[in-house]
Amino acid sequence: MAYETTDELLAEISDYWVKRSGSNLYKLMDSFNQPLEAISNNAEKVERWRALSDANGTTLDLFGSDIETYRPSKDDENYRFLIHLIELLSRAQGTIPSIYKIASNTLEDKSSFKIWKTGIRHIGIQIPFDSIKTVQMQKFLLNNLNKMLALGYWIDRIIFRTSTPLPLYVGIKGRISNTSIWSTETS
């Protein structure tokens, strides 16, 4: 939308002139204002597309060429995820808080993503499977997790965690007899 619409421009003119939408004055002002309004609309569109989350097609390809990465498929969502991951990887420091911040921001899930130490300079990672939308995203993430680690750190295990809300039903029943089962360890 333009900074000033045709109606706003006509409001500045004296009331002596006819300002209805079909009048000659309205048509004249509208013919001058339409190119300016088109320029304004295109500028807003470009401003929206400058954000990676809203970029599509060729604009997304320009983001990819800036960080020197290729488009693996025609799917914009996978390419956007790859660009976002590579941008975050460029800021990796190799520390556990840095890995947590990068991976949780990439997956947009801070509650289910976890990192823990399994030993000296060894870590385990839990990844929320619900945040990974496609198989390509899973491959990108797994291939690039090692790039986030500092020299000398090792990933011992990666756990994909998923959860499904289930209804819980509670029932009460009386019981007359009790049975015990005993077992021993096998050797």
Side-chain angles (χ1 to χ4, degrees):
M1 185 172 153
Y3 295 110
E4 294 182 10
T5 62
T6 305
D7 292 327
E8 290 173 346
L9 289 173
L10 284 174
E12 300 297 325
I13 297 176
S14 170
D15 288 334
Y16 175 77
W17 305 99
V18 178
K19 303 182 204 176
R20 288 186 312 252
S21 62
S23 68
N24 287 339
L25 180 62
Y26 186 91
K27 291 177 186 176
L28 178 68
M29 294 300 282
D30 195 40
S31 66
F32 282 121
N33 197 35
Q34 280 180 351
L36 298 175
E37 197 165 326
I39 290 170
S40 177
N41 290 342
N42 286 337
E44 284 180 13
K45 185 178 183 181
V46 168
E47 185 177 342
R48 277 194 323 269
W49 280 11
R50 291 186 64 124
L52 180 62
S53 59
D54 295 331
N56 290 319
T58 306
T59 310
L60 202 57
D61 290 334
L62 292 173
F63 274 108
S65 67
D66 283 345
I67 61 170
E68 298 176 356
T69 187
Y70 65 95
R71 181 186 276 272
S73 67
K74 291 185 177 184
D75 187 15
D76 283 346
E77 190 64 32
N78 287 336
Y79 194 42
R80 185 177 296 113
F81 178 78
L82 177 64
I83 291 170
H84 185 59
L85 180 64
I86 290 175
E87 281 180 346
L88 291 173
L89 284 174
S90 67
R91 300 181 205 141
Q93 298 171 353
T95 61
I96 291 176
S98 171
I99 295 167
Y100 175 80
K101 182 178 179 183
I102 289 169
S104 63
N105 284 339
T106 302
L107 297 174
E108 298 172 355
D109 187 357
K110 294 185 180 193
S111 61
S112 302
F113 186 83
K114 293 183 179 144
I115 297 178
W116 66 94
K117 288 186 175 185
T118 58
I120 298 174
R121 305 196 58 82
H122 289 261
I123 62 170
I125 298 175
Q126 176 180 301
I127 300 171
F129 193 71
D130 299 334
S131 298
I132 300 173
K133 297 173 182 70
T134 63
V135 176
Q136 289 85 6
M137 287 183 181
Q138 180 182 359
K139 288 179 183 177
F140 296 148
L141 187 65
L142 291 177
N143 289 337
N144 291 303
L145 273 174
N146 285 329
K147 294 179 183 176
M148 288 192 283
L149 296 174
L151 189 61
Y153 270 99
W154 299 93
I155 297 177
D156 283 343
R157 67 180 60 117
I158 297 175
I159 299 170
F160 287 94
R161 182 177 188 272
T162 185
S163 60
T164 305
L166 296 173
L168 178 64
Y169 297 104
V170 177
I172 299 175
K173 180 180 173 183
R175 190 167 187 180
I176 296 174
S177 65
N178 189 9
T179 305
S180 298
I181 299 174
W182 296 86
S183 63
T184 60
E185 292 182 17
T186 58
S187 57

